[in-house]
Amino acid sequence: MGGLAAAVVVTTGFATSAQAATFPHDGNRADEDGGRADQQVIFHKLINNGAGNAVGYVDLMYSVNCHTAWAHVHSSTTQVNQTWVTHGTIHRNYDDKEYGCTGTEGSNDCYTPMVYDKGMTSSRRRRGRP
């Protein structure tokens, strides 16, 4: 099998310079911190292998209540032989805070911890590497 990795990078910048430098929910898991209660997919992208076949997808998730963003990477095949792995990254540009996740054997999903996003602008990009 070929290699598969995907990442979502969310870059953010302050709308005003008067905002505090500490961010609630940073590094917390959405399923443990209330983010998944109102989660929304704000970007969805298929992940293709080198032959053009869809092998999974990556979602940029957002919670209005928590004002947070995180990445969800899903593979369409359960990882059992460790010849490839799913990987996601979420990144805040303001302070270069970054969190990642890596799928484990027998898993189809990986979720990054959250980054706080209130009053900031966000963008995304997907990176793949073997």
Side-chain angles (χ1 to χ4, degrees), residues 12-59:
T12 58
F14 270 112
T16 69
S17 60
Q19 292 178 317
T22 59
F23 304 107
H25 307 290
D26 259 13
N28 295 349
R29 294 178 46 87
D31 60 342
E32 297 173 353
D33 207 26
R36 291 190 69 185
D38 71 331
Q39 70 183 7
Q40 302 172 30
V41 176
I42 59 174
F43 179 79
H44 176 83
K45 178 75 175 175
L46 289 177
I47 302 169
N48 294 309
N49 64 11
N53 301 317
V55 294
Y57 61 84
V58 61
D59 287 334

Side-chain angles (χ1 to χ4, degrees), residues 14 30 32 34 43 50 62-63 86 98-99 105 110 112 116 129:
F14 270 112
E32 297 173 353
F43 179 79
Y62 189 78
S63 167
T86 55
E98 187 170 276
Y99 299 105
E105 187 171 348
C110 106
T112 67
Y116 187 73
R129 56 190 144 100

Side-chain angles (χ1 to χ4, degrees), residues 67-86:
H67 304 290
T68 55
W70 65 96
H72 168 220
V73 182
H74 177 83
S75 66
S76 51
T77 305
T78 303
Q79 302 171 45
V80 293
N81 61 11
Q82 295 299 302
T83 59
W84 55 272
V85 65
T86 55

